[in-house]
Amino acid sequence: MARPRKPLLDQDRIATAALELVDEDGEFTMPALARRLGVQTPSIYHHVDGRAGVIELLRAKIDEEIDSALLDLRPWDRALDAYARSYRAAFAAHPHVIPLLATSTVQAPRVVVVYDMIAAVLIEGGFAPEQVMPSYTALENFLLGSALDRAAPEVMWEVPPGVEAPHLSRALAAQTTSPTRSDQAFEFGLAALLDALRAMNASP
Amino acid sequence: MARPRKPLLDQDRIATAALELVDEDGEFTMPALARRLGVQTPSIYHHVDGRAGVIELLRAKIDEEIDSALLDLRPWDRALDAYARSYRAAFAAHPHVIPLLATSTVQAPRVVVVYDMIAAVLIEGGFAPEQVMPSYTALENFLLGSALDRAAPEVMWEVPPGVEAPHLSRALAAQTTSPTRSDQAFEFGLAALLDALRAMNASP
DNA sequence: ACCTGAACACCGTTCAAGT
DNA sequence: ACCTGAACACCGTTCAAGT
């Protein structure tokens, strides 16, 4: 076969296949990815910088689904609220990718643009420049942790037989099934952080 | 050599060596771990259930450093505040382990005991049982995200040359070097969540 | 019970060969 | 430029052999 007249692969096809694989299996290997693409493993290396490159493609895929235009909303708290929800929804749709992304960090220009939009809406909203980074970092840490929580199996929240945990058992039994523990926690935490930001914004 | 008169290995030695390895290299492999222990790789399998077992040992090691007795403090918000700080400090001391633990989840009895203490202090503090899980989940998500943030390289927060990001640049320039962005974000987020819990506790 | 040497399946990556 | 086959180093794990 050697070189085909029309390329069999491109970054988009690779990214899509990788995302499907991770969604289904919870992980991916280069051979499995190649198999799904109907190609030999080394072929992938002509389009992406190895396995790490594939992970970057996954990150970009998820980023695409976050609606950063929401950061153009005003006032600032409406923008952050909407953006946070979009962020969470994007990750929630692909929970298994999260651990993959958590390990490495990026320097993608796209990310910088988004952070600039966030800094813009906050500064414009009356925050002092030195308040921007810690404020947003706190929010993002919460979002990231919430995303990881969604990737974790709910099974974790069962008291194993034979273990005495009366208070926890009571708390678990009192849970509502809908909205989920995860959803309720998200709503609560997001509101808490936005409230604190509003308070900070009100007083110098 | 075969079987030595005194065992060369035990779970404690393995755990300690693995933690050192991860702290130094940011990761660990079974051969590298064996090398550090002065032993052949398969020997480890006599004491731990494979690589996953070593990761569980790491989790236990970190858990040990969290002072769960702080959850016996009263009132509830003092307990949670102190526990949250201890939690963060334990992870902050070994940032590279965090991604390792984030992937898998546990069912360790020890964890259940801690969660029961948390449920106890909250219910005793006046929270309704159905408020416990979402409240604590929100806090823990924030703590986990904050821990991951600490594991991430600070380099991420530089604007690459040639990229236009005036607002972000301003926010970055305005940062104080001490306390760290990470520390400030932690203080802010923790206060925000505890405030929201107090508000929830005050009104039914 | 506990360590070793040998062996296996599998993975990520490189590279020369082919069009 | 782009795909393949062959090859390599390395990893996690198993297991029979030895005390």
Side-chain angles (χ1 to χ4, degrees), chain A residues 104-164:
Chain A
S104 65
T105 347
V106 242
Q107 188 65 304
R110 177 95 170 59
V111 177
V112 175
V113 171
V114 170
Y115 283 132
D116 193 58
M117 291 175 76
I118 289 161
V121 72
L122 286 177
I123 291 175
E124 198 185 304
F127 287 85
E130 67 266 24
Q131 293 176 319
V132 169
M133 292 306 297
S135 301
Y136 182 66
T137 298
L139 177 59
E140 198 183 37
N141 288 350
F142 172 70
L143 293 177
L144 199 69
S146 300
L148 271 171
D149 177 53
R150 278 220 109 208
E154 196 75 9
V155 187
M156 178 185 175
W157 296 105
E158 281 169 23
V159 178
V163 177
E164 278 301 300

Side-chain angles (χ1 to χ4, degrees), chain B residues 38-52:
Chain B
V39 114
Q40 295 302 313
T41 309
S43 306
I44 301 173
Y45 288 78
H46 288 279
H47 299 88
V48 196
D49 187 14
R51 196 186 134 88

Side-chain angles (χ1 to χ4, degrees), chain B residues 100-186:
Chain B
L100 251 31
L101 305 188
T103 318
S104 65
T105 347
V106 242
Q107 188 63 307
R110 177 97 171 57
V111 177
V112 175
V113 171
V114 170
Y115 283 132
D116 193 56
M117 290 175 77
I118 289 161
V121 71
L122 287 176
I123 291 176
E124 199 185 303
F127 286 86
E130 67 266 24
Q131 294 176 318
V132 170
M133 293 306 298
S135 300
Y136 182 66
T137 299
L139 178 60
E140 198 183 37
N141 288 350
F142 172 70
L143 292 177
L144 198 69
S146 300
L148 271 170
D149 177 52
R150 278 220 108 209
E154 197 75 8
V155 188
M156 178 185 175
W157 296 105
E158 280 170 24
V159 178
V163 177
E164 278 301 301
H167 300 91
L168 178 58
S169 300
R170 218 178 133 197
L172 288 170
Q175 279 187 107
T176 54
T177 38
S178 160
T180 309
R181 170 187 66 84
S182 175
D183 290 332
Q184 287 177 278
F186 177 75

Side-chain angles (χ1 to χ4, degrees), chain A residues 3 8-9 40 43 46-47:
Chain A
R3 167 144 110 107
L8 296 176
L9 255 41
Q40 295 301 314
S43 305
H46 288 278
H47 299 88

